[in-house]
Amino acid sequence: MTKTSSAMTPSAKAPTARERLLAAANELFYAEGVQTVGIDRIIEHAGVAKASLYNTFGGKEQLIRAYLDSRHVRLTERLLRAVEAAEDPRDRLLAVFDAQVELFAQQTYHGCAFVAASAEAKHGSAIEEASDTSRAWIRALFTDLAREAGVPDPEALARQLHLLYDGGGVSARMDRDPSAGAVAREAAGVLIDAALSKRP
Amino acid sequence: MTKTSSAMTPSAKAPTARERLLAAANELFYAEGVQTVGIDRIIEHAGVAKASLYNTFGGKEQLIRAYLDSRHVRLTERLLRAVEAAEDPRDRLLAVFDAQVELFAQQTYHGCAFVAASAEAKHGSAIEEASDTSRAWIRALFTDLAREAGVPDPEALARQLHLLYDGGGVSARMDRDPSAGAVAREAAGVLIDAALSKRP
DNA sequence: AGGACCGACCAGACCGGTCTGTTCGGTCAC
DNA sequence: GTGACCGAACAGACCGGTCTGGTCGGTCCT
């Protein structure tokens, strides 16, 4: 009845090698960086043979790409869930920062995975590609919500809020201070109100 | 008369091994990352013997530290110069972002060196130490300028502006878009005005 | 003045270790 | 038996770091 080994569905039974690999990558790459963590540690932590990694993903670069893609999926889910819980257009914009506050509170938080991974990535790499995709999505989310709120220049407000979003992540990591989320949220409120006041 | 070999003064003549090493580190570390660039490439680019590196700095970690320290010195000089050129308290706060705009315009700009270097640094490293020092200095600068401007809560405004400052740097690098500087400056103006309006 | 000396430096061989990526034989479930 | 998987060994490049040997300009001593 239950197809456990189909590898296409995560299934409820024993996790496949791919899943364990991705989980290990998520833990180690995120905590220590994609450059400093070697594949030996990944496969050891995943309890997987090296050949399985290369059969499944093809190489470290592709594993990093898959790791970043999975981060992006979880990011969009988290943000969408937070935004949908709010109704007032202004609150929907702020909901993004509420999600950030919640995220920073976890002691596992170690900054934006894309910012960290792209810090030492060469131009044109898969890392840059994944970062661009994720950042474009966030920018579009901010723009849509800003337009929804009825500000005269949604693009401009979106760029400002994106700056705050980035700054919050960097500050929370670099200063080891989760309260950066609250600061970002407060500043966002000011910027939103200023943009709103220009359109009566 | 002239003591050229004293090694304490950079002198005007031929650059010493230490200077060339630091210059090479500044170029390669900043452009490609402190992890990905090996010391072999540093010494080759500097035209220096490997032993000179280890005699002068003691190791890669210390070279990175010296590189970051030199970045910090240049950063403070640049910001101080920009701030001192302005007279109005509000303009002095904005001058920090003017300096950022100018910085982003250089095509060599590749993001904040401290953000990049600390992305894959382990907790308690010399990199973290240097980052903390630099960030504390910037925070103090913002706080002083905010106090000078007479806002009721200088610390709060400083934290907001620091967020914008960080966000501008990240966005300029990740999006390969220097206009993030102008966006940050504009948002800073809004936040400053909002803080100012609370104190008559 | 001239020879011994010395510190700063370069060139490069070399070390142990680690990196990514490959290969192969064995095992277990279906 | 067939495919997915593990454990282990392997190759080749590269890492940070050490060490030897040689060059050169300046300084001191006589």
Side-chain angles (χ1 to χ4, degrees):
Chain A
M1 289 294 163
T2 53
K3 299 175 64 177
T4 61
S5 62
S6 174
M8 278 293 95
T9 48
S11 83
K13 262 308 187 79
T16 152
R18 180 188 188 90
E19 291 169 321
R20 270 178 295 162
L21 243 8
L22 222 36
N26 233 303
E27 273 186 55
L28 297 180
F29 280 160
Y30 183 65
E32 305 180 38
V34 297
Q35 293 277 346
T36 57
V37 174
I39 56 169
D40 285 339
R41 291 191 52 209
I42 296 276
I43 64 165
E44 182 202 348
H45 192 273
V48 151
K50 210 184 240 190
S52 299
L53 192 163
Y54 283 91
N55 286 336
T56 309
F57 291 100
K60 190 187 185 183
E61 173 109 359
Q62 291 94 314
L63 176 62
I64 294 174
R65 178 60 199 257
Y67 147 69
L68 288 177
D69 285 346
S70 81
R71 302 278 316 183
H72 176 62
V73 168
R74 279 198 281 169
L75 173 71
T76 60
E77 287 172 352
R78 194 183 325 115
L79 292 186
L80 248 23
R81 209 180 316 123
V83 167
E84 282 167 7
E87 297 201 354
D88 179 69
R90 185 174 179 277
D91 289 343
R92 284 164 70 86
L93 273 166
L94 286 175
V96 176
F97 294 92
D98 287 332
Q100 236 189 2
V101 168
E102 205 175 324
L103 195 64
F104 294 172
Q106 306 173 209
Q107 79 279 41
T108 61
Y109 183 75
H110 209 258
C112 173
F114 297 93
V115 171
S118 68
E120 307 216 340
K122 45 190 95 277
H123 191 69
S125 67
I127 292 176
E128 192 180 79
E129 209 175 287
S131 290
D132 288 345
T133 301
S134 189
R135 292 182 65 79
W137 187 90
I138 296 174
R139 178 70 61 90
L141 174 65
F142 274 128
T143 306
D144 288 347
L145 293 178
R147 185 174 297 113
E148 204 180 290
V151 302
D153 191 347
E155 261 292 344
L157 180 58
R159 292 199 68 184
Q160 291 185 350
L161 296 181
H162 199 178
L163 240 58
L164 240 29
Y165 177 90
D166 285 336
V170 169
S171 183
R173 170 173 67 87
M174 302 276 289
D175 297 333
R176 277 103 55 204
D177 181 3
S179 73
V183 176
R185 203 204 118 106
E186 201 178 343
V190 174
L191 293 180
I192 295 169
D193 289 340
L196 243 25
S197 73
K198 285 193 207 160
R199 204 256 167 228
Chain B
M1 290 296 159
T2 52
K3 299 175 64 174
T4 60
S5 62
S6 175
M8 280 293 92
T9 47
S11 82
K13 264 305 188 81
T16 155
R18 180 187 187 91
E19 291 168 322
R20 269 176 295 161
L21 242 7
L22 224 35
N26 233 305
E27 272 185 56
L28 297 180
F29 280 160
Y30 182 66
E32 304 181 38
V34 297
Q35 292 277 345
T36 56
V37 174
I39 55 170
D40 285 337
R41 290 191 53 208
I42 295 276
I43 64 163
E44 183 202 348
H45 192 273
V48 150
K50 213 182 229 187
S52 298
L53 192 162
Y54 284 91
N55 287 335
T56 309
F57 291 100
K60 191 186 185 184
E61 173 109 358
Q62 291 95 313
L63 176 62
I64 294 174
R65 178 62 199 256
Y67 148 69
L68 289 177
D69 286 345
S70 82
R71 300 281 313 186
H72 176 62
V73 168
R74 279 199 282 170
L75 173 70
T76 59
E77 288 172 352
R78 196 184 322 114
L79 291 186
L80 248 23
R81 209 181 316 124
V83 167
E84 282 167 7
E87 297 201 356
D88 181 69
R90 185 175 180 275
D91 288 342
R92 283 164 71 85
L93 273 166
L94 287 175
V96 177
F97 294 93
D98 287 331
Q100 235 188 4
V101 168
E102 205 175 324
L103 194 65
F104 295 172
Q106 307 172 208
Q107 79 279 41
T108 61
Y109 183 75
H110 209 260
C112 173
F114 296 93
V115 171
S118 69
E120 306 216 339
K122 45 190 95 276
H123 191 67
S125 67
I127 292 177
E128 194 180 76
E129 211 175 284
S131 290
D132 288 345
T133 301
S134 189
R135 292 182 64 78
W137 187 90
I138 296 174
R139 179 70 60 90
L141 174 66
F142 273 129
T143 307
D144 288 347
L145 294 178
R147 185 173 298 113
E148 205 180 289
V151 303
D153 191 347
E155 261 292 346
L157 180 59
R159 293 199 67 184
Q160 290 185 350
L161 296 181
H162 199 178
L163 239 60
L164 240 29
Y165 177 90
D166 285 336
V170 169
S171 183
R173 171 173 66 88
M174 302 276 289
D175 298 333
R176 276 105 53 205
D177 180 5
S179 72
V183 176
R185 201 203 120 105
E186 200 178 345
V190 174
L191 293 180
I192 295 169
D193 289 340
L196 242 26
S197 73
K198 285 191 207 162
R199 204 253 167 231

